[in-house]
Amino acid sequence: MLKILLAIFVLFAFVLASAQSKPESAPPNLGQLNIMIARFAPTQIRVDTSHLINGDQQALAKLIQAARILNPLFMRQLWSQNLATYDKVKLDRTPLGEARAHYYWINKNPWSELDEHRAFLPGVPPQKLPGANFYPENMTKSEFEDWLKTLSKDEQDLATGFFTVIRRDTAGKLRVVPYNQEYQADLEKAAALLREAAALTPNASLKKFLNSRAAAFLSNDYYQSDIDWMDLDAPIDITIGPYETYNDELFGYKAAFEAYVNLRDDAETNKLAAFAKHLQEIEDNLPEDPQYRTPKLGAAAPIRVVNEVFSSGDGEKGVQSAAYNLPNDDRVVQLKGSKRVMLRNIQEAKFRSVLIPIARRALAPQQQADASFEPFFTHILAHELMHGLGPHQIIIAGRETNPRLELKEVYSAIEEAKADVTGLFALQYMMDHAKEMDLTGILPADEAAERQLYTTFLASAFRSLRFGLNEAHGKGMALQFNYLMARGAFVARPDGTFGVDFQKIKPAVRDLTHELLTLEATGDHDGAKQMLDNLAVLRPAVKAVLDKLQGVPVDIEPQFVTANEIAPDPNAPAPSAPAPPPKRKAGKQRAVHG
Ligand code: ZN
């Protein structure tokens, strides 16, 4: 499964890198490094934990401590010299040394994620190692593949498994080492803390998951704990363990450790449940030929809305996850499906640090105030739900098939655009029927709410377009943007900003929804391709706005204020230490880093 939007971010990294490409291989100087760091807006992450009962309060502290252990563990996974190099960098107290240490912590290694993983320090490999520290540094792909052929089927499964590293024995021969051996000391410490937390929480599903995940850390068998994670339903919602394989660029086999310590967002969970009750009614009223509608929708994949208290390891590297889909073990997915966890407060932090500055540059002054987080997040929820609506099983000339197979390489962009615009349609439908649907108090439905929905969507369009058009979300957004422009629903103003025509936007959204659903229902590859060729382009007026966005942060650098209060970082500078003499730049606060 994909870490949500990772594709976009990787692509965006690429765009940024080429925008400010530095052909010379010299590491960045202080000025350059400060510009690189400023792409991440320092943002305080605070979460109200007062509603947690006492046992959960104590469990939360243990879980933050367990999650902290994964930071150095993850750094070891990236590079054998990572921790030693980081420690050395931290000793350099010059402004350049401090900037390097700061950026090191953001990236969790000396290679810059937003700059194609190029080194920002001297004396380290120029590029992140494709096999990270999962394989011997001097091992080639073909050496691994040749060795694999000499192994039994069971040994092959271990060698290519998620939870093993490959090392050399004293004779230089490759061998498999399981995570519970390679990272034994750290995993034992983390497992003990998970068990302590399990003893403290009164919640049965959390207790069960923490105990089985602790057992997995020691046994290296994660299967049962992945199943228990699917069943987890508790005020404390935690994801902790080895998950994503993106850091293994050699084969994509090896899972990196990460943790997200979250609290369930009950208000948003209720909103989601309220929307879910009406999905069939929305399906039955989609603007498409009734023969294409699904008479009985299947069960939707579970979505959890949470607020992140703390994240670590791969979950706190570079660009922050806004949501994730797990687990990755196909056996668990077949049995239990997968779960999508949406990090509401992280999305809000990104909204404030990235989307509001975009709105100030891209929107007409009188509309800027309407760009707001509530409709932004509600639309993201609707987008996710709408992936489940519309044509899924279709019949083309008597043949049973699906839109993905028929639309092929243009499917993702069409499906992303469909989820966006059908999301707008569905929210408008629910606003129009809020009383009958019992959504009063859950979904604001007045004229101001409508204005905010469409204006926020316009602002977020620029955020997506900024990522470029090489990827499905950007392409899908360009298609919608140009369609809505052509219909007069989005309007370019003489001053270079954009606005929404609230009379024209509703019929335009309805018609675009109709067109995209019909392309999917009829498996019309050529029609879809033609529509993308015509509309998934960046026109000059949009380019001019994107040019104005330079200097707007790309993402946030989280500062876990609440987590640091609940379970202080033992490696952070002591807060009670006497105030240091004033330094050059008082305004430039450094994150509290481990
Ligand atoms: Zn989507």
Side-chain angles (χ1 to χ4, degrees):
M1 293 290 156
L2 286 179
K3 194 180 268 189
I4 315 309
L5 300 186
L6 195 108
I8 297 188
F9 292 138
V10 169
L11 185 95
F12 186 33
F14 193 77
V15 171
L16 267 184
S18 37
Q20 32 180 261
S21 63
K22 298 184 294 293
E24 77 277 23
S25 57
N29 61 30
L30 179 60
Q32 291 165 325
L33 204 48
N34 281 335
I35 292 171
M36 292 161 82
I37 292 170
R39 293 176 295 183
F40 296 89
T43 306
Q44 299 196 335
I45 305 298
R46 295 173 190 275
V47 183
D48 181 9
T49 63
S50 59
H51 63 285
L52 293 180
I53 60 166
N54 195 26
D56 272 346
Q57 294 269 7
Q58 294 172 27
L60 184 63
K62 299 287 180 191
L63 296 178
I64 295 165
Q65 289 171 26
R68 283 196 199 285
I69 294 172
L70 300 194
N71 274 325
L73 198 172
F74 170 65
M75 289 172 77
R76 278 174 64 199
Q77 291 191 294
L78 292 178
W79 184 37
S80 59
Q81 306 304 307
N82 211 5
L83 289 175
T85 307
Y86 182 48
D87 282 345
K88 217 166 85 189
V89 169
K90 280 193 291 186
L91 293 176
D92 178 354
R93 305 312 301 262
T94 64
L96 178 60
E98 292 195 349
R100 282 174 173 165
H102 184 177
Y103 201 50
Y104 207 117
W105 184 252
I106 289 175
N107 284 282
K108 302 286 184 288
N109 65 40
W111 303 288
S112 173
E113 181 178 299
L114 289 185
D115 304 288
E116 297 168 298
H117 297 296
R118 283 198 299 270
F120 55 88
L121 281 187
V124 303
Q127 205 83 51
K128 189 176 176 215
L129 307 171
N133 191 21
F134 298 120
Y135 309 91
E137 276 175 31
N138 59 1
M139 187 199 79
T140 62
K141 255 183 118 147
S142 58
E143 182 185 4
F144 181 84
E145 283 157 351
D146 291 343
W147 169 66
L148 211 55
K149 287 179 203 144
T150 69
L151 303 180
S152 70
K153 174 77 177 71
D154 284 357
E155 290 169 331
Q156 287 182 358
D157 287 348
L158 281 177
T160 59
F162 285 130
F163 312 125
T164 61
V165 293
I166 308 301
R167 297 289 179 249
R168 289 190 193 282
D169 62 19
T170 45
K173 208 171 159 299
L174 297 179
R175 65 187 179 100
V176 175
V177 181
Y179 280 3
N180 59 337
Q181 219 173 299
E182 178 74 7
Y183 310 118
Q184 187 180 359
D186 282 344
L187 291 178
E188 281 175 357
K189 268 187 256 165
L193 287 160
L194 295 189
R195 289 220 167 92
E196 286 175 45
L200 289 163
T201 180
N203 183 283
S205 69
L206 180 60
K207 219 182 251 300
K208 187 160 190 241
F209 168 67
L210 294 176
N211 280 323
S212 65
R213 184 48 46 118
F217 279 174
L218 305 181
S219 70
N220 219 42
D221 179 356
Y222 286 84
Y223 180 73
Q224 183 59 45
S225 56
D226 271 348
I227 289 179
D228 294 341
W229 183 80
M230 283 300 298
D231 293 332
L232 174 61
D233 189 6
I236 298 177
D237 190 291
I238 181 172
T239 300
I240 184 166
Y243 285 108
E244 306 287 0
T245 58
Y246 301 106
N247 289 291
D248 174 2
E249 292 174 67
L250 216 47
F251 292 106
Y253 294 147
K254 306 303 175 190
F257 278 90
E258 64 183 355
Y260 298 89
V261 183
N262 310 315
L263 299 190
R264 186 176 61 200
D265 187 316
D266 289 323
E268 292 297 328
T269 302
N270 289 342
K271 191 198 275 177
L272 204 56
F275 287 1
K277 273 190 235 157
H278 301 294
L279 289 179
Q280 186 67 55
E281 181 180 346
I282 294 167
E283 172 78 21
D284 295 344
N285 286 280
L286 287 178
E288 63 179 341
D289 192 321
Q291 62 166 320
Y292 299 145
R293 292 179 185 145
T294 309
K296 197 171 182 318
L297 292 171
I303 300 178
R304 296 255 190 276
V305 183
V306 302
N307 292 299
E308 179 183 302
V309 180
F310 187 74
S311 68
S312 65
D314 200 22
E316 206 236 332
K317 175 192 191 299
V319 172
Q320 301 295 300
S321 300
Y324 50 90
N325 247 26
L326 288 172
N328 288 329
D329 185 336
D330 286 332
R331 298 171 303 162
V332 182
V333 174
Q334 296 215 336
L335 188 73
K336 305 281 291 187
S338 64
K339 187 164 79 179
R340 183 184 215 83
V341 180
M342 304 181 68
L343 303 165
R344 183 181 189 274
N345 62 333
I346 297 298
Q347 304 211 6
E348 183 164 14
K350 288 173 186 257
F351 181 90
R352 306 227 173 279
S353 296
V354 181
L355 208 117
I356 289 294
I358 289 176
R360 284 204 200 101
R361 290 162 173 81
L363 298 192
Q366 66 274 24
Q367 293 199 335
Q368 287 173 12
D370 281 332
S372 32
F373 177 67
E374 219 33 69
F376 175 77
F377 189 74
T378 304
H379 181 254
I380 293 177
L381 290 181
H383 172 112
E384 297 306 339
L385 292 171
M386 290 307 116
H387 277 309
L389 268 60
H392 282 92
Q393 263 106 47
I394 60 176
I395 296 176
I396 308 287
R399 187 168 47 89
E400 274 189 37
T401 178
N402 64 52
R404 181 189 295 277
L405 286 175
E406 297 305 313
L407 299 186
K408 301 186 193 77
E409 84 287 358
V410 292
Y411 171 74
S412 308
I414 296 289
E415 174 61 22
E416 288 309 324
K418 170 214 124 179
D420 269 347
V421 76
T422 312
L424 290 176
F425 171 84
L427 289 172
Q428 184 66 57
Y429 184 91
M430 289 192 282
M431 287 186 196
D432 291 343
H433 301 85
K435 274 220 178 77
E436 306 96 277
M437 289 179 139
D438 227 6
L439 292 169
T440 318
I442 292 173
L443 182 69
D446 54 7
E447 208 177 292
E450 286 187 6
R451 253 187 6 245
Q452 289 175 359
L453 173 65
Y454 295 114
T455 306
T456 304
F457 183 71
L458 170 59
S460 74
F462 286 102
R463 176 171 162 270
S464 304
L465 294 172
R466 196 184 179 199
F467 296 132
L469 301 192
N470 296 316
E471 173 280 338
H473 292 80
K475 249 189 216 148
M477 185 54 89
L479 181 157
Q480 296 171 78
F481 194 95
N482 288 318
Y483 184 98
L484 296 172
M485 284 291 290
R487 291 286 300 263
F490 286 170
V491 186
R493 290 165 198 274
D495 66 358
T497 63
F498 284 77
V500 179
D501 182 320
F502 298 103
Q503 301 306 315
K504 293 181 178 162
I505 187 97
K506 289 185 214 174
V509 161
R510 195 183 171 83
D511 292 347
L512 179 54
T513 304
H514 171 83
E515 287 202 32
L516 294 172
L517 291 174
T518 306
L519 287 172
E520 291 198 345
T522 55
D524 183 0
H525 171 269
D526 294 351
K529 186 173 182 316
Q530 196 176 22
M531 190 175 192
L532 281 169
D533 287 347
N534 290 340
L535 294 176
V537 293
L538 280 188
R539 305 237 158 94
V542 173
K543 271 196 196 130
V545 172
L546 297 181
D547 286 343
K548 286 194 285 184
L549 301 185
Q550 278 174 19
V552 171
V554 176
D555 200 49
I556 57 163
E557 177 191 359
Q559 299 176 333
F560 298 110
V561 178
T562 300
N564 291 338
E565 285 164 8
I566 295 173
D569 181 354
N571 297 318
S576 57
K583 284 223 170 139
R584 292 150 302 276
K585 276 189 192 154
K588 187 132 185 124
Q589 84 263 42
R590 257 206 65 182
V592 184
H593 291 145

